[in-house]
Amino acid sequence: VDRMDQLIISLKLLQEFEMEQGELNLVEYDLFSVLDTTLLDLQEFASERKVTFKVNTAKVNPMMLLDMTLMPGVIHNLVKNAIEHVSGCKTAAERTIRINMYNGKKSIILCINNKGRVIPPEKLPRFFDKFNSDKTTKKGGTGLGTTYAFDITKAHGGDIYVESTPSEGTTVTVKFPQV
């Protein structure tokens, strides 16, 4: 019942933002702090799966206007997805998630990369669609995590996309407008 209740709340929230009726409560905040808190929150989940993080946020001015009730969920969903994607990999290198944050032109760019199983090219256009989880390798979840990340990023005036190749692995790139 709790899981169904959470699913309904998530669907209603996503519907509001898809219809451009959702409202953001924007405050100036440090995106690095959101990332740092998320990684601390997910550390036990990652450790249980022998997943490590390699983070590079050097020389970043991470200040942006963000909704502190919604933005942490974006980063949480994307990092948790990456952890789940590599948790079955054999080597430590494959189970390392690389997170880079850097300044773009009037933007902050966050890249989350993993070397897990490559997403087939035909599935990439549907990566952010609702209920698009790979149930053969992922247990639990609602199928709304990447949709949430997409909709909330767009509501913040940002952009988000995914690339997946055998040589580079899978990278989700999120571009946020900077203050």
Side-chain angles (χ1 to χ4, degrees), residues 61-160:
N61 174 11
M63 297 308 289
M64 65 175 284
L65 292 174
L66 55 85
D67 185 313
M68 283 303 296
T69 60
L70 300 174
M71 184 54 67
V74 170
I75 297 173
H76 179 92
N77 282 318
L78 296 175
V79 173
K80 187 174 183 211
N81 234 28
I83 294 167
E84 291 169 339
H85 199 70
V86 299
S87 63
C89 292
K90 303 227 183 302
T91 69
E94 291 173 317
R95 291 188 311 274
T96 299
I97 296 170
R98 288 152 196 79
I99 300 171
N100 294 303
M101 186 186 302
Y102 58 94
N103 289 328
K105 191 174 185 176
K106 296 184 180 182
S107 63
I108 303 168
I109 299 169
L110 175 67
C111 298
I112 301 169
N113 171 267
N114 72 73
K115 300 291 184 181
R117 190 173 31 86
V118 174
I119 300 169
E122 65 274 7
K123 289 189 175 189
L124 287 173
R126 296 186 318 273
F127 183 79
F128 296 106
D129 290 354
K130 289 180 192 146
F131 310 115
N132 192 36
S133 293
D134 184 354
K135 297 296 182 188
T136 61
T137 59
K138 186 175 175 182
K139 306 294 183 234
T142 62
L144 297 173
T146 57
T147 305
Y148 177 93
F150 182 89
D151 288 346
I152 300 305
T153 297
K154 292 291 189 174
H156 277 81
D159 198 12
I160 184 170

